[in-house]
Amino acid sequence: MTAQMRRKAGDKTDSIILALPKGRILPEVMPLLTRAGIRVEPDFDNDRSRKLRFQTNIADLTVVRVRSFDVATFVAFGAAHLGVAGSDVLMEFDYPELYAPIDLGVGRCRIAVAEPRELVASDDPSRWSHVRVATKYPETARRYFAARGVQAECIALSGAMELAPQLGLCTRIVDLVQTGATLKANGLAEIETIAEVSARLVVNRTALKLHPEAIGELVTRIQEAVDAA
């Protein structure tokens, strides 16, 4: 254990903060952290707990649990030193302050374009000049369509994307797809894949310069855990 990691747990000034995402990725991430020798206090697994910050078995490492879409922002602005974020989030915000050294190989899914099934037979995406989509990835969608010469009108929604075509808000959506079951249940069909997605370890570049030994050791531990998976 390095000298930086031996400091008292109560010394918050030099504590390294790891931001973890709530939701679907977390159950896949925790076994990796366990293999890396990082164990979070039992209250982390207590569904009734209202705590958002947790101690670990490493004296100078604390964990915060935040919305998956917020991890990149916490790390980019220095509120956390490193974190776990989906590559979809990294694409959307494109923070230059972030360094993503490890693909964790979990949380695999894709960002896709979908439309009502009844349109698929008559639709030709290669002929699109303008699209109106509902999405929580407006920047990613605009860049994707712009690269194809398509003007995209993006309506930002944070959830229930599949309702947008049904209620006349738009014809198509851009959203995360894992199995496609939710699309199918709501009468939609996936027609294009924008990007494959997986969870990444992200590090604040300035924090890495300020704490190279402590953060470097954590990155090495996690890389070894991924390699051993």
Side-chain angles (χ1 to χ4, degrees):
M1 187 78 66
T2 66
Q4 281 181 300
M5 294 184 124
R6 289 194 196 102
R7 294 194 187 100
K8 294 183 295 181
D11 184 0
K12 301 300 182 185
T13 302
D14 294 315
S15 180
I16 299 299
I17 299 173
L18 168 65
L20 295 180
K22 298 178 182 178
R24 68 177 187 86
I25 295 178
L26 191 58
E28 296 183 73
V29 170
M30 296 312 294
L32 281 176
L33 295 185
T34 299
R35 279 199 295 273
I38 301 168
R39 296 185 297 278
V40 187
E41 64 174 286
D43 214 26
F44 185 82
D45 296 317
N46 180 0
D47 292 337
R48 296 185 178 181
S49 175
R50 305 222 173 175
K51 290 177 63 176
L52 296 174
R53 185 167 182 169
F54 305 87
Q55 299 302 312
T56 73
N57 61 309
I58 297 173
D60 280 348
L61 177 67
T62 60
V63 164
V64 294
R65 185 167 51 196
V66 301
R67 290 176 65 249
S68 59
F69 227 62
D70 293 336
V71 170
T73 300
F74 270 80
V75 179
F77 284 86
H81 299 82
L82 67 168
V84 173
S87 54
D88 57 321
V89 178
L90 303 182
M91 287 174 60
E92 179 64 17
F93 292 102
D94 196 24
Y95 288 124
E97 298 87 355
L98 296 181
Y99 165 52
I102 304 175
D103 184 341
L104 299 178
V106 299
R108 294 193 181 280
C109 54
R110 56 198 176 277
I111 303 176
V113 184
E115 67 183 9
R117 282 198 299 267
E118 59 268 23
L119 289 184
V120 175
S122 60
D123 195 17
D124 182 359
S126 68
R127 297 174 64 88
W128 292 350
S129 60
H130 175 273
V131 292
R132 188 182 193 192
V133 298
T135 184
K136 67 176 180 178
Y137 304 103
E139 294 304 318
T140 300
R142 286 191 191 100
R143 287 196 301 268
Y144 172 74
F145 287 117
R148 293 178 43 191
V150 178
Q151 181 183 0
E153 180 184 354
C154 297
I155 301 170
L157 295 179
S158 58
M161 224 69 59
E162 296 81 8
L163 283 175
Q166 295 180 31
L167 301 180
L169 188 59
C170 62
T171 303
R172 300 172 182 88
I173 66 171
V174 170
D175 200 12
L176 277 187
V177 177
Q178 190 169 21
T179 66
T182 302
L183 292 179
K184 185 176 180 181
N186 288 278
L188 300 174
E190 181 180 350
I191 55 172
E192 291 188 344
T193 297
I194 292 179
E196 298 294 333
V197 172
S198 61
R200 309 295 171 92
L201 180 72
V202 294
V203 180
N204 179 284
R205 294 181 185 275
T206 300
L208 183 58
K209 292 177 182 177
L210 293 174
H211 308 278
E213 190 177 358
I215 293 178
E217 180 174 332
L218 289 171
V219 171
T220 298
R221 285 178 177 224
I222 294 170
Q223 180 66 71
E224 290 173 349
V226 171
D227 292 343

PDB file of all heavy atoms in Angstrom, residues 45-51:
ATOM      1  N   ASP A  45     -24.875  -1.241   0.269  1.00  0.00           N
ATOM      2  CA  ASP A  45     -25.824  -2.212  -0.279  1.00  0.00           C
ATOM      3  C   ASP A  45     -27.189  -2.172   0.419  1.00  0.00           C
ATOM      4  O   ASP A  45     -28.054  -2.988   0.104  1.00  0.00           O
ATOM      5  CB  ASP A  45     -25.248  -3.624  -0.158  1.00  0.00           C
ATOM      6  CG  ASP A  45     -23.996  -3.803  -0.987  1.00  0.00           C
ATOM      7  OD1 ASP A  45     -23.985  -3.328  -2.139  1.00  0.00           O
ATOM      8  OD2 ASP A  45     -23.020  -4.395  -0.483  1.00  0.00           O
ATOM      9  N   ASN A  46     -27.354  -1.228   1.327  1.00  0.00           N
ATOM     10  CA  ASN A  46     -28.617  -1.100   2.047  1.00  0.00           C
ATOM     11  C   ASN A  46     -29.567  -0.204   1.258  1.00  0.00           C
ATOM     12  O   ASN A  46     -29.356   1.003   1.146  1.00  0.00           O
ATOM     13  CB  ASN A  46     -28.367  -0.517   3.442  1.00  0.00           C
ATOM     14  CG  ASN A  46     -29.637  -0.364   4.260  1.00  0.00           C
ATOM     15  OD1 ASN A  46     -30.736  -0.686   3.804  1.00  0.00           O
ATOM     16  ND2 ASN A  46     -29.494   0.157   5.476  1.00  0.00           N
ATOM     17  N   ASP A  47     -30.614  -0.786   0.691  1.00  0.00           N
ATOM     18  CA  ASP A  47     -31.549  -0.028  -0.145  1.00  0.00           C
ATOM     19  C   ASP A  47     -32.276   1.060   0.634  1.00  0.00           C
ATOM     20  O   ASP A  47     -32.795   2.014   0.038  1.00  0.00           O
ATOM     21  CB  ASP A  47     -32.582  -0.970  -0.778  1.00  0.00           C
ATOM     22  CG  ASP A  47     -31.953  -1.892  -1.813  1.00  0.00           C
ATOM     23  OD1 ASP A  47     -30.888  -1.530  -2.340  1.00  0.00           O
ATOM     24  OD2 ASP A  47     -32.521  -2.969  -2.068  1.00  0.00           O
ATOM     25  N   ARG A  48     -32.313   0.934   1.946  1.00  0.00           N
ATOM     26  CA  ARG A  48     -33.012   1.936   2.762  1.00  0.00           C
ATOM     27  C   ARG A  48     -32.107   3.093   3.166  1.00  0.00           C
ATOM     28  O   ARG A  48     -32.584   4.103   3.683  1.00  0.00           O
ATOM     29  CB  ARG A  48     -33.579   1.271   4.019  1.00  0.00           C
ATOM     30  CG  ARG A  48     -34.655   0.221   3.733  1.00  0.00           C
ATOM     31  CD  ARG A  48     -35.250  -0.302   5.017  1.00  0.00           C
ATOM     32  NE  ARG A  48     -36.310  -1.272   4.758  1.00  0.00           N
ATOM     33  CZ  ARG A  48     -37.017  -1.865   5.705  1.00  0.00           C
ATOM     34  NH1 ARG A  48     -36.755  -1.602   6.994  1.00  0.00           N
ATOM     35  NH2 ARG A  48     -37.969  -2.724   5.392  1.00  0.00           N
ATOM     36  N   SER A  49     -30.820   2.931   2.929  1.00  0.00           N
ATOM     37  CA  SER A  49     -29.886   3.983   3.327  1.00  0.00           C
ATOM     38  C   SER A  49     -30.035   5.217   2.443  1.00  0.00           C
ATOM     39  O   SER A  49     -30.212   5.107   1.223  1.00  0.00           O
ATOM     40  CB  SER A  49     -28.442   3.475   3.227  1.00  0.00           C
ATOM     41  OG  SER A  49     -27.524   4.512   3.502  1.00  0.00           O
ATOM     42  N   ARG A  50     -29.966   6.377   3.056  1.00  0.00           N
ATOM     43  CA  ARG A  50     -30.034   7.634   2.305  1.00  0.00           C
ATOM     44  C   ARG A  50     -28.653   8.237   2.091  1.00  0.00           C
ATOM     45  O   ARG A  50     -28.531   9.326   1.537  1.00  0.00           O
ATOM     46  CB  ARG A  50     -30.923   8.627   3.038  1.00  0.00           C
ATOM     47  CG  ARG A  50     -32.310   8.063   3.333  1.00  0.00           C
ATOM     48  CD  ARG A  50     -33.377   9.059   3.098  1.00  0.00           C
ATOM     49  NE  ARG A  50     -34.695   8.461   3.216  1.00  0.00           N
ATOM     50  CZ  ARG A  50     -35.816   9.156   3.150  1.00  0.00           C
ATOM     51  NH1 ARG A  50     -35.755  10.457   2.960  1.00  0.00           N
ATOM     52  NH2 ARG A  50     -36.984   8.579   3.248  1.00  0.00           N
ATOM     53  N   LYS A  51     -27.638   7.531   2.533  1.00  0.00           N
ATOM     54  CA  LYS A  51     -26.281   8.028   2.356  1.00  0.00           C
ATOM     55  C   LYS A  51     -25.905   8.030   0.879  1.00  0.00           C
ATOM     56  O   LYS A  51     -26.354   7.179   0.114  1.00  0.00           O
ATOM     57  CB  LYS A  51     -25.288   7.154   3.130  1.00  0.00           C
ATOM     58  CG  LYS A  51     -25.381   7.280   4.627  1.00  0.00           C
ATOM     59  CD  LYS A  51     -24.409   6.333   5.314  1.00  0.00           C
ATOM     60  CE  LYS A  51     -22.965   6.645   4.993  1.00  0.00           C
ATOM     61  NZ  LYS A  51     -22.031   5.770   5.756  1.00  0.00           N
TER      62      LYS A  51
END
